[in-house]
């Protein structure tokens, strides 16, 4: 995978992994929750069965496993051994139970969180993942994931100075390792995540990312990967889920959204930098893709940032 391109995508769509809580418990237990967007659950130790709407069978999670739930409305987890009815468990933001139990190997320890995304991020990441992505921590390529999970748990339960900041950073790294491990373990659906892993198309993708404002044609892009225009267009669409020039247009819009959020360049300047013939052509393309004009997008984002609103 082209690591720099994945990093660029993360920055553009403002992907943020946020750890919201967890628990440690001995004996039979069950935990239920209503959810939305992207939710992730990681089993630090022990085992659990996960069920969610739209998933035919329960998913068995073992030590180091992570599940990412994509646009589901509810989840149910259960685990533990022993007699008696299961205890109803609610995740704790401060991991109090984990501190009490400590490193007891008989405990089931679960960490949960969600992935914050802007509108562009939702469009990309929600299409790139299945309803539930199961990443197995036991796989050899998941060693960095297990390390990230362990460091996150140590910070969450250690009550150390600066732990809140550390947990935020580890949440980011955990999400990155989850995606890396998922790419290695799963058959990816068509989308940007699969495109970043496709070696055959990398030269063309590198051209687009290096100079998105250029008026790229199918002939040039196909020549970079030594394919005919027809073969290139069909292969690219099969991998990315969209035609090459549609991908180029959407990539330009992601760049435009970042520029509008972070800078003060005029619409005319952005149009020229991103390869549009005029400010009006750029504005029309932006409105079709994002749903509002560039200036309205900038104003709304700046107001939201100034007021701290969602």
């Amino acid at each position: 995978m082209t690591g720099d391109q994945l990093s660029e995508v993360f920055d553009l769509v403002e992907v943020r992994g946020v750890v919201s809580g967890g628990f440690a418990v001995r004996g039979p237990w069950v935990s239920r929750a209503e959810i939305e967007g992207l939710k992730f659950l990681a089993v630090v130790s022990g085992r659990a069965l996960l069920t969610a709407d739209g998933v035919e069978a329960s998913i068995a999670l073992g030590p180091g496993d992570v599940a990412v739930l994509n646009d589901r409305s509810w989840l149910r987890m259960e685990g533990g051994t022993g007699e008696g009815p299961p205890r109803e468990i609610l995740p704790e933001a401060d991991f109090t139970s984990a501190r009490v139990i400590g490193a007891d190997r008989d405990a089931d320890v679960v960490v949960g969180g969600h992935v914050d995304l802007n509108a562009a991020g939702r469009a990309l990441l929600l299409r790139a993942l299945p309803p539930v992505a199961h990443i197995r921590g036991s796989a050899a390529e998941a060693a960095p994931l297990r390390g990230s999970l362990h460091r996150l748990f140590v910070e969450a339960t250690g009550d150390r100075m600066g732990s809140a900041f550390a947990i935020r950073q580890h949440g980011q790294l955990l999400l990155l390792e989850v995606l890396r491990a998922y790419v290695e373990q799963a058959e990816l659906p068509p989308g940007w995540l699969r495109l970043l892993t496709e070696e055959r198309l990398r030269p063309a993708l590198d051209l687009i990312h290096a100079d998105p404002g250029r008026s790229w044609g199918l002939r040039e892009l196909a020549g970079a990967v030594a394919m005919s225009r027809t073969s290139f267009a069909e292969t690219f669409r099969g991998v990315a889920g969209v035609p090459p020039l549609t991908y180029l247009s959407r990539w330009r819009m992601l760049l435009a959204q970042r520029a509008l959020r972070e800078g003060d360049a005029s619409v005319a300047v952005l149009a020229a930098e991103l390869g549009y013939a005029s400010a009006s052509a750029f504005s029309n393309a932006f409105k079709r893709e994002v749903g509002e004009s560039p200036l309205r997008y900038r104003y709304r984002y700046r107001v939201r940032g100034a007021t701290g609103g969602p």
Side-chain angles (χ1 to χ4, degrees), residues 16-39:
R16 300 290 183 267
V18 180
V19 177
S20 55
F23 58 84
V25 59
R26 298 189 191 98
W29 59 271
V30 62
S31 183
R32 302 176 178 90
E34 295 182 355
I35 57 175
E36 60 181 356
L38 277 177
K39 170 80 175 178

Side-chain angles (χ1 to χ4, degrees), residues 62-74:
D65 284 11
V66 178
V68 180
L69 294 94
N70 180 6
D71 205 22
R72 303 298 88 196
S73 61
W74 60 264

Side-chain angles (χ1 to χ4, degrees), residues 101-115:
I101 292 178
D104 190 335
R105 294 184 179 180
D106 294 331
D108 293 323
V109 181
V110 177
V111 173
H114 60 273
V115 182

